[in-house]
Structures are given as structure tokens and as C-alpha cells.
Amino acid sequence: MTPRYESDHKKKILAAVILLLVLLAAAALSCQVKTVTVTGTKWYTAQQIESMVMEGRWGHSTVLGYVKNRFGAHRSIPFVEDYKVVYRTPFEAEIIVYEKDIVGYVTDMSSYMYFDKDGIVVESSGNKLEGVPLITGLDFGQLILHRPLPVKDQTVFQDILNLTQQLSLHNIVVDRIEYNSHNKATLYMGEMQVSLGDDANVDSKISVLSDILAAHPQ
């Protein structure tokens, strides 16, 4: 075999390999996710999460999407701690959302400052979440994101958690919860005002309130 023939033969092999790689890449890029399931979210619709996570021209590409979500930085989404994309098949994916734990919010200027069960400010937003109560009456200083609400009595957050859990359990939505200087709570629902007192027997109090609302829905 002459050197010229060997050179031409190697070029043909290289060209065939390149062509094969191009065809494989084209096939991979053409593989698109058709069905997306979203779990773990209550602040967003499934369509909103899908559009944010799988954004852009190649957002639904199975191969590029896998590489992006496996090795790239995830997009920052308000009220979402993190998310994971699981590709069940080349054409089916599930987006698992891990939302931030939010029990209430306070207002600061034109912002809503949302905090978790420990009183940590987890989100600052101009958007009001439906179903999250406004907490008033707390005496606090400067609010800093990812830091605790600077209140004198930190035990009030356990009271807020217990109360909001009971309200959620009985499907009672309140507009506002006000605490006085002795951590006694008052609920505001439209034009109705309900004084609960301290945190003692809060489960029984909310159960009675639930019965009253059921008997007198007006």
C-alpha cells in the first residue's frame, strides 16, 4: 500500500467518523421532551415552572437539557429553594420543585418580606402570595434577606408556626394576623375580627372557629 493510498484511506475514515458524529449530534439535538410533569409547587402553575426551567430555543432538548441541569447552575426562581429535572424517557421529564418554607410576611416600604418558621427572611418580593398571611404588630428593626427578623421575643415565631399550621389544617384563609406586645393574636378575615389570645390551646380555638365558619358561612 503506497503512502498516497494510505493517506487517502485515512482521510476517508476520518470523514466518515466526522459525518457519523454530525449525524449523531443532529439526532441527539432533534430529541425533544414532549411531556413534562411538575411536582412540589403551590406558588406556581406547572406551565410557569416548565417555561422558567426549560426556557430558550433548546430548553426542551433532551441531551442539552440533561447536560445543563446536571452540570450547569440552576436558575434562581423566587420562592423556590431548588429544583431537579429527571428524564424518565428521552421524551418525558419530571421537574421536582423544592419550595421555600414560608409561614408569613411583613411589609417593608414597598416590598413583601417573607419569612420561614424560624423567622428567617427567605424572600423579598413585590408580589403578594395568595394564602400567606400578613403579620403585623411585631416590633423589629432593619430587615436583611437570609437573616432573622430582628424581634425581641423570638418565641413568637413558634406561635406563628403553630397558628398557621392549624389554619391550614382547617382550610381557613386569613388576611392578617396581628400580635400585641404580649404575643396575643388577633385574626382578620375581611371585615371579621377574631381575638385568639395567647398560643394556649390554639388547636381547640381554631377548631371551634372552623365550626362557627361552617355553620355561618356568610
Side-chain angles (χ1 to χ4, degrees), residues 134-161:
L134 168 65
I135 309 298
T136 60
L138 301 181
D139 185 17
F140 52 82
Q142 183 181 8
L143 300 178
I144 302 175
L145 195 61
H146 307 308
R147 297 287 298 275
L149 277 171
V151 298
K152 292 181 180 179
D153 186 2
Q154 293 287 322
T155 62
V156 70
F157 296 118
Q158 185 60 50
D159 295 346
I160 295 173
L161 175 62

PDB file of all heavy atoms in Angstrom, residues 134-161:
ATOM      1  N   LEU A 134     -50.389  38.242  56.230  1.00  0.00           N
ATOM      2  CA  LEU A 134     -49.590  39.385  56.671  1.00  0.00           C
ATOM      3  C   LEU A 134     -49.519  39.353  58.195  1.00  0.00           C
ATOM      4  O   LEU A 134     -50.540  39.171  58.862  1.00  0.00           O
ATOM      5  CB  LEU A 134     -50.244  40.685  56.201  1.00  0.00           C
ATOM      6  CG  LEU A 134     -49.704  41.990  56.807  1.00  0.00           C
ATOM      7  CD1 LEU A 134     -48.254  42.219  56.399  1.00  0.00           C
ATOM      8  CD2 LEU A 134     -50.581  43.169  56.377  1.00  0.00           C
ATOM      9  N   ILE A 135     -48.327  39.496  58.744  1.00  0.00           N
ATOM     10  CA  ILE A 135     -48.141  39.515  60.192  1.00  0.00           C
ATOM     11  C   ILE A 135     -47.833  40.944  60.629  1.00  0.00           C
ATOM     12  O   ILE A 135     -46.873  41.552  60.139  1.00  0.00           O
ATOM     13  CB  ILE A 135     -46.990  38.583  60.635  1.00  0.00           C
ATOM     14  CG1 ILE A 135     -47.162  37.180  60.031  1.00  0.00           C
ATOM     15  CG2 ILE A 135     -46.919  38.518  62.156  1.00  0.00           C
ATOM     16  CD1 ILE A 135     -48.403  36.452  60.453  1.00  0.00           C
ATOM     17  N   THR A 136     -48.657  41.477  61.499  1.00  0.00           N
ATOM     18  CA  THR A 136     -48.459  42.842  61.983  1.00  0.00           C
ATOM     19  C   THR A 136     -48.313  42.842  63.507  1.00  0.00           C
ATOM     20  O   THR A 136     -48.612  41.852  64.172  1.00  0.00           O
ATOM     21  CB  THR A 136     -49.634  43.750  61.576  1.00  0.00           C
ATOM     22  OG1 THR A 136     -50.852  43.228  62.147  1.00  0.00           O
ATOM     23  CG2 THR A 136     -49.774  43.827  60.068  1.00  0.00           C
ATOM     24  N   GLY A 137     -47.860  43.980  64.019  1.00  0.00           N
ATOM     25  CA  GLY A 137     -47.702  44.135  65.459  1.00  0.00           C
ATOM     26  C   GLY A 137     -46.323  43.780  65.982  1.00  0.00           C
ATOM     27  O   GLY A 137     -46.013  44.030  67.149  1.00  0.00           O
ATOM     28  N   LEU A 138     -45.483  43.184  65.118  1.00  0.00           N
ATOM     29  CA  LEU A 138     -44.136  42.820  65.548  1.00  0.00           C
ATOM     30  C   LEU A 138     -43.248  44.064  65.518  1.00  0.00           C
ATOM     31  O   LEU A 138     -43.248  44.816  64.537  1.00  0.00           O
ATOM     32  CB  LEU A 138     -43.540  41.744  64.635  1.00  0.00           C
ATOM     33  CG  LEU A 138     -44.307  40.425  64.526  1.00  0.00           C
ATOM     34  CD1 LEU A 138     -43.564  39.472  63.593  1.00  0.00           C
ATOM     35  CD2 LEU A 138     -44.493  39.791  65.892  1.00  0.00           C
ATOM     36  N   ASP A 139     -42.493  44.245  66.573  1.00  0.00           N
ATOM     37  CA  ASP A 139     -41.582  45.391  66.646  1.00  0.00           C
ATOM     38  C   ASP A 139     -40.199  44.930  66.209  1.00  0.00           C
ATOM     39  O   ASP A 139     -39.523  44.187  66.912  1.00  0.00           O
ATOM     40  CB  ASP A 139     -41.546  45.927  68.089  1.00  0.00           C
ATOM     41  CG  ASP A 139     -40.702  47.192  68.206  1.00  0.00           C
ATOM     42  OD1 ASP A 139     -40.435  47.815  67.155  1.00  0.00           O
ATOM     43  OD2 ASP A 139     -40.303  47.535  69.336  1.00  0.00           O
ATOM     44  N   PHE A 140     -39.792  45.338  65.014  1.00  0.00           N
ATOM     45  CA  PHE A 140     -38.499  44.888  64.500  1.00  0.00           C
ATOM     46  C   PHE A 140     -37.741  46.061  63.894  1.00  0.00           C
ATOM     47  O   PHE A 140     -38.306  47.101  63.563  1.00  0.00           O
ATOM     48  CB  PHE A 140     -38.671  43.781  63.452  1.00  0.00           C
ATOM     49  CG  PHE A 140     -39.625  44.118  62.342  1.00  0.00           C
ATOM     50  CD1 PHE A 140     -39.227  44.885  61.258  1.00  0.00           C
ATOM     51  CD2 PHE A 140     -40.930  43.662  62.379  1.00  0.00           C
ATOM     52  CE1 PHE A 140     -40.101  45.193  60.233  1.00  0.00           C
ATOM     53  CE2 PHE A 140     -41.818  43.964  61.352  1.00  0.00           C
ATOM     54  CZ  PHE A 140     -41.398  44.734  60.282  1.00  0.00           C
ATOM     55  N   GLY A 141     -36.433  45.853  63.752  1.00  0.00           N
ATOM     56  CA  GLY A 141     -35.564  46.871  63.183  1.00  0.00           C
ATOM     57  C   GLY A 141     -35.359  46.637  61.702  1.00  0.00           C
ATOM     58  O   GLY A 141     -36.286  46.270  60.980  1.00  0.00           O
ATOM     59  N   GLN A 142     -34.121  46.819  61.246  1.00  0.00           N
ATOM     60  CA  GLN A 142     -33.812  46.688  59.821  1.00  0.00           C
ATOM     61  C   GLN A 142     -33.921  45.238  59.372  1.00  0.00           C
ATOM     62  O   GLN A 142     -33.416  44.321  60.029  1.00  0.00           O
ATOM     63  CB  GLN A 142     -32.406  47.211  59.531  1.00  0.00           C
ATOM     64  CG  GLN A 142     -32.034  47.170  58.054  1.00  0.00           C
ATOM     65  CD  GLN A 142     -30.628  47.680  57.792  1.00  0.00           C
ATOM     66  OE1 GLN A 142     -29.873  47.938  58.727  1.00  0.00           O
ATOM     67  NE2 GLN A 142     -30.271  47.825  56.532  1.00  0.00           N
ATOM     68  N   LEU A 143     -34.562  45.022  58.237  1.00  0.00           N
ATOM     69  CA  LEU A 143     -34.742  43.685  57.694  1.00  0.00           C
ATOM     70  C   LEU A 143     -33.648  43.378  56.686  1.00  0.00           C
ATOM     71  O   LEU A 143     -33.367  44.186  55.802  1.00  0.00           O
ATOM     72  CB  LEU A 143     -36.110  43.558  57.019  1.00  0.00           C
ATOM     73  CG  LEU A 143     -37.329  43.809  57.904  1.00  0.00           C
ATOM     74  CD1 LEU A 143     -38.604  43.688  57.088  1.00  0.00           C
ATOM     75  CD2 LEU A 143     -37.356  42.842  59.070  1.00  0.00           C
ATOM     76  N   ILE A 144     -33.032  42.196  56.832  1.00  0.00           N
ATOM     77  CA  ILE A 144     -31.960  41.777  55.934  1.00  0.00           C
ATOM     78  C   ILE A 144     -32.297  40.384  55.420  1.00  0.00           C
ATOM     79  O   ILE A 144     -32.628  39.485  56.194  1.00  0.00           O
ATOM     80  CB  ILE A 144     -30.595  41.759  56.653  1.00  0.00           C
ATOM     81  CG1 ILE A 144     -30.275  43.154  57.217  1.00  0.00           C
ATOM     82  CG2 ILE A 144     -29.492  41.302  55.709  1.00  0.00           C
ATOM     83  CD1 ILE A 144     -29.009  43.188  58.043  1.00  0.00           C
ATOM     84  N   LEU A 145     -32.223  40.216  54.093  1.00  0.00           N
ATOM     85  CA  LEU A 145     -32.526  38.933  53.472  1.00  0.00           C
ATOM     86  C   LEU A 145     -31.601  37.845  54.002  1.00  0.00           C
ATOM     87  O   LEU A 145     -30.396  38.051  54.163  1.00  0.00           O
ATOM     88  CB  LEU A 145     -32.394  39.056  51.950  1.00  0.00           C
ATOM     89  CG  LEU A 145     -33.015  37.932  51.098  1.00  0.00           C
ATOM     90  CD1 LEU A 145     -34.512  37.845  51.341  1.00  0.00           C
ATOM     91  CD2 LEU A 145     -32.726  38.187  49.628  1.00  0.00           C
ATOM     92  N   HIS A 146     -32.181  36.681  54.288  1.00  0.00           N
ATOM     93  CA  HIS A 146     -31.483  35.495  54.803  1.00  0.00           C
ATOM     94  C   HIS A 146     -31.008  35.670  56.256  1.00  0.00           C
ATOM     95  O   HIS A 146     -30.181  34.887  56.724  1.00  0.00           O
ATOM     96  CB  HIS A 146     -30.288  35.113  53.910  1.00  0.00           C
ATOM     97  CG  HIS A 146     -30.644  34.946  52.468  1.00  0.00           C
ATOM     98  ND1 HIS A 146     -31.683  34.143  52.032  1.00  0.00           N
ATOM     99  CD2 HIS A 146     -30.115  35.502  51.348  1.00  0.00           C
ATOM    100  CE1 HIS A 146     -31.766  34.196  50.720  1.00  0.00           C
ATOM    101  NE2 HIS A 146     -30.832  35.012  50.272  1.00  0.00           N
ATOM    102  N   ARG A 147     -31.523  36.679  56.925  1.00  0.00           N
ATOM    103  CA  ARG A 147     -31.222  36.880  58.342  1.00  0.00           C
ATOM    104  C   ARG A 147     -32.530  36.843  59.130  1.00  0.00           C
ATOM    105  O   ARG A 147     -33.612  37.105  58.578  1.00  0.00           O
ATOM    106  CB  ARG A 147     -30.522  38.230  58.562  1.00  0.00           C
ATOM    107  CG  ARG A 147     -29.164  38.347  57.863  1.00  0.00           C
ATOM    108  CD  ARG A 147     -28.098  37.498  58.559  1.00  0.00           C
ATOM    109  NE  ARG A 147     -27.866  37.926  59.916  1.00  0.00           N
ATOM    110  CZ  ARG A 147     -27.039  38.912  60.257  1.00  0.00           C
ATOM    111  NH1 ARG A 147     -26.371  39.576  59.311  1.00  0.00           N
ATOM    112  NH2 ARG A 147     -26.876  39.246  61.520  1.00  0.00           N
ATOM    113  N   PRO A 148     -32.480  36.555  60.444  1.00  0.00           N
ATOM    114  CA  PRO A 148     -33.717  36.511  61.232  1.00  0.00           C
ATOM    115  C   PRO A 148     -34.366  37.890  61.347  1.00  0.00           C
ATOM    116  O   PRO A 148     -33.677  38.914  61.334  1.00  0.00           O
ATOM    117  CB  PRO A 148     -33.238  36.024  62.614  1.00  0.00           C
ATOM    118  CG  PRO A 148     -31.895  35.413  62.382  1.00  0.00           C
ATOM    119  CD  PRO A 148     -31.292  36.147  61.224  1.00  0.00           C
ATOM    120  N   LEU A 149     -35.686  37.887  61.439  1.00  0.00           N
ATOM    121  CA  LEU A 149     -36.385  39.134  61.737  1.00  0.00           C
ATOM    122  C   LEU A 149     -35.929  39.615  63.109  1.00  0.00           C
ATOM    123  O   LEU A 149     -35.981  38.864  64.086  1.00  0.00           O
ATOM    124  CB  LEU A 149     -37.899  38.904  61.764  1.00  0.00           C
ATOM    125  CG  LEU A 149     -38.655  38.902  60.441  1.00  0.00           C
ATOM    126  CD1 LEU A 149     -40.087  38.431  60.654  1.00  0.00           C
ATOM    127  CD2 LEU A 149     -38.653  40.280  59.822  1.00  0.00           C
ATOM    128  N   PRO A 150     -35.458  40.852  63.208  1.00  0.00           N
ATOM    129  CA  PRO A 150     -34.905  41.328  64.486  1.00  0.00           C
ATOM    130  C   PRO A 150     -35.996  41.734  65.475  1.00  0.00           C
ATOM    131  O   PRO A 150     -36.281  42.911  65.685  1.00  0.00           O
ATOM    132  CB  PRO A 150     -34.060  42.538  64.051  1.00  0.00           C
ATOM    133  CG  PRO A 150     -34.738  43.046  62.819  1.00  0.00           C
ATOM    134  CD  PRO A 150     -35.320  41.845  62.127  1.00  0.00           C
ATOM    135  N   VAL A 151     -36.627  40.724  66.097  1.00  0.00           N
ATOM    136  CA  VAL A 151     -37.640  40.987  67.113  1.00  0.00           C
ATOM    137  C   VAL A 151     -37.077  40.617  68.484  1.00  0.00           C
ATOM    138  O   VAL A 151     -36.162  39.794  68.593  1.00  0.00           O
ATOM    139  CB  VAL A 151     -38.932  40.199  66.842  1.00  0.00           C
ATOM    140  CG1 VAL A 151     -39.547  40.620  65.515  1.00  0.00           C
ATOM    141  CG2 VAL A 151     -38.666  38.696  66.834  1.00  0.00           C
ATOM    142  N   LYS A 152     -37.630  41.207  69.526  1.00  0.00           N
ATOM    143  CA  LYS A 152     -37.121  40.960  70.875  1.00  0.00           C
ATOM    144  C   LYS A 152     -37.413  39.540  71.351  1.00  0.00           C
ATOM    145  O   LYS A 152     -36.567  38.885  71.942  1.00  0.00           O
ATOM    146  CB  LYS A 152     -37.733  41.981  71.837  1.00  0.00           C
ATOM    147  CG  LYS A 152     -37.271  43.412  71.605  1.00  0.00           C
ATOM    148  CD  LYS A 152     -37.898  44.351  72.624  1.00  0.00           C
ATOM    149  CE  LYS A 152     -37.424  45.794  72.388  1.00  0.00           C
ATOM    150  NZ  LYS A 152     -38.032  46.733  73.360  1.00  0.00           N
ATOM    151  N   ASP A 153     -38.625  39.074  71.098  1.00  0.00           N
ATOM    152  CA  ASP A 153     -39.032  37.753  71.574  1.00  0.00           C
ATOM    153  C   ASP A 153     -39.114  36.786  70.397  1.00  0.00           C
ATOM    154  O   ASP A 153     -40.081  36.793  69.633  1.00  0.00           O
ATOM    155  CB  ASP A 153     -40.381  37.849  72.288  1.00  0.00           C
ATOM    156  CG  ASP A 153     -40.797  36.521  72.927  1.00  0.00           C
ATOM    157  OD1 ASP A 153     -40.013  35.546  72.839  1.00  0.00           O
ATOM    158  OD2 ASP A 153     -41.902  36.470  73.499  1.00  0.00           O
ATOM    159  N   GLN A 154     -38.104  35.939  70.238  1.00  0.00           N
ATOM    160  CA  GLN A 154     -38.065  35.004  69.113  1.00  0.00           C
ATOM    161  C   GLN A 154     -39.090  33.883  69.239  1.00  0.00           C
ATOM    162  O   GLN A 154     -39.381  33.194  68.249  1.00  0.00           O
ATOM    163  CB  GLN A 154     -36.657  34.400  69.003  1.00  0.00           C
ATOM    164  CG  GLN A 154     -35.576  35.397  68.612  1.00  0.00           C
ATOM    165  CD  GLN A 154     -35.663  35.805  67.159  1.00  0.00           C
ATOM    166  OE1 GLN A 154     -35.956  34.997  66.299  1.00  0.00           O
ATOM    167  NE2 GLN A 154     -35.436  37.086  66.885  1.00  0.00           N
ATOM    168  N   THR A 155     -39.664  33.685  70.428  1.00  0.00           N
ATOM    169  CA  THR A 155     -40.649  32.610  70.588  1.00  0.00           C
ATOM    170  C   THR A 155     -41.926  32.891  69.813  1.00  0.00           C
ATOM    171  O   THR A 155     -42.735  31.979  69.600  1.00  0.00           O
ATOM    172  CB  THR A 155     -40.998  32.395  72.070  1.00  0.00           C
ATOM    173  OG1 THR A 155     -41.596  33.592  72.606  1.00  0.00           O
ATOM    174  CG2 THR A 155     -39.748  32.055  72.875  1.00  0.00           C
ATOM    175  N   VAL A 156     -42.131  34.122  69.392  1.00  0.00           N
ATOM    176  CA  VAL A 156     -43.334  34.457  68.643  1.00  0.00           C
ATOM    177  C   VAL A 156     -43.406  33.677  67.333  1.00  0.00           C
ATOM    178  O   VAL A 156     -44.501  33.379  66.847  1.00  0.00           O
ATOM    179  CB  VAL A 156     -43.412  35.983  68.371  1.00  0.00           C
ATOM    180  CG1 VAL A 156     -42.348  36.403  67.350  1.00  0.00           C
ATOM    181  CG2 VAL A 156     -44.796  36.385  67.869  1.00  0.00           C
ATOM    182  N   PHE A 157     -42.260  33.285  66.792  1.00  0.00           N
ATOM    183  CA  PHE A 157     -42.270  32.557  65.515  1.00  0.00           C
ATOM    184  C   PHE A 157     -42.818  31.144  65.688  1.00  0.00           C
ATOM    185  O   PHE A 157     -43.451  30.608  64.782  1.00  0.00           O
ATOM    186  CB  PHE A 157     -40.871  32.532  64.911  1.00  0.00           C
ATOM    187  CG  PHE A 157     -40.366  33.899  64.550  1.00  0.00           C
ATOM    188  CD1 PHE A 157     -39.239  34.427  65.158  1.00  0.00           C
ATOM    189  CD2 PHE A 157     -41.046  34.684  63.637  1.00  0.00           C
ATOM    190  CE1 PHE A 157     -38.789  35.692  64.850  1.00  0.00           C
ATOM    191  CE2 PHE A 157     -40.603  35.954  63.314  1.00  0.00           C
ATOM    192  CZ  PHE A 157     -39.472  36.466  63.930  1.00  0.00           C
ATOM    193  N   GLN A 158     -42.599  30.541  66.846  1.00  0.00           N
ATOM    194  CA  GLN A 158     -43.201  29.235  67.117  1.00  0.00           C
ATOM    195  C   GLN A 158     -44.710  29.378  67.232  1.00  0.00           C
ATOM    196  O   GLN A 158     -45.476  28.527  66.754  1.00  0.00           O
ATOM    197  CB  GLN A 158     -42.625  28.632  68.403  1.00  0.00           C
ATOM    198  CG  GLN A 158     -43.108  27.205  68.694  1.00  0.00           C
ATOM    199  CD  GLN A 158     -42.741  26.232  67.593  1.00  0.00           C
ATOM    200  OE1 GLN A 158     -41.596  26.165  67.172  1.00  0.00           O
ATOM    201  NE2 GLN A 158     -43.723  25.466  67.114  1.00  0.00           N
ATOM    202  N   ASP A 159     -45.152  30.486  67.838  1.00  0.00           N
ATOM    203  CA  ASP A 159     -46.590  30.759  67.926  1.00  0.00           C
ATOM    204  C   ASP A 159     -47.192  30.926  66.534  1.00  0.00           C
ATOM    205  O   ASP A 159     -48.277  30.401  66.240  1.00  0.00           O
ATOM    206  CB  ASP A 159     -46.851  32.025  68.751  1.00  0.00           C
ATOM    207  CG  ASP A 159     -46.425  31.880  70.210  1.00  0.00           C
ATOM    208  OD1 ASP A 159     -46.183  30.730  70.640  1.00  0.00           O
ATOM    209  OD2 ASP A 159     -46.342  32.903  70.908  1.00  0.00           O
ATOM    210  N   ILE A 160     -46.483  31.666  65.668  1.00  0.00           N
ATOM    211  CA  ILE A 160     -46.964  31.898  64.303  1.00  0.00           C
ATOM    212  C   ILE A 160     -47.039  30.570  63.547  1.00  0.00           C
ATOM    213  O   ILE A 160     -48.016  30.298  62.836  1.00  0.00           O
ATOM    214  CB  ILE A 160     -46.050  32.891  63.565  1.00  0.00           C
ATOM    215  CG1 ILE A 160     -46.125  34.273  64.226  1.00  0.00           C
ATOM    216  CG2 ILE A 160     -46.424  32.976  62.087  1.00  0.00           C
ATOM    217  CD1 ILE A 160     -45.124  35.270  63.670  1.00  0.00           C
ATOM    218  N   LEU A 161     -46.013  29.730  63.707  1.00  0.00           N
ATOM    219  CA  LEU A 161     -45.999  28.437  63.021  1.00  0.00           C
ATOM    220  C   LEU A 161     -47.170  27.576  63.478  1.00  0.00           C
ATOM    221  O   LEU A 161     -47.888  26.997  62.654  1.00  0.00           O
ATOM    222  CB  LEU A 161     -44.679  27.716  63.282  1.00  0.00           C
ATOM    223  CG  LEU A 161     -44.572  26.297  62.714  1.00  0.00           C
ATOM    224  CD1 LEU A 161     -44.687  26.321  61.200  1.00  0.00           C
ATOM    225  CD2 LEU A 161     -43.271  25.635  63.149  1.00  0.00           C
TER     226      LEU A 161
END
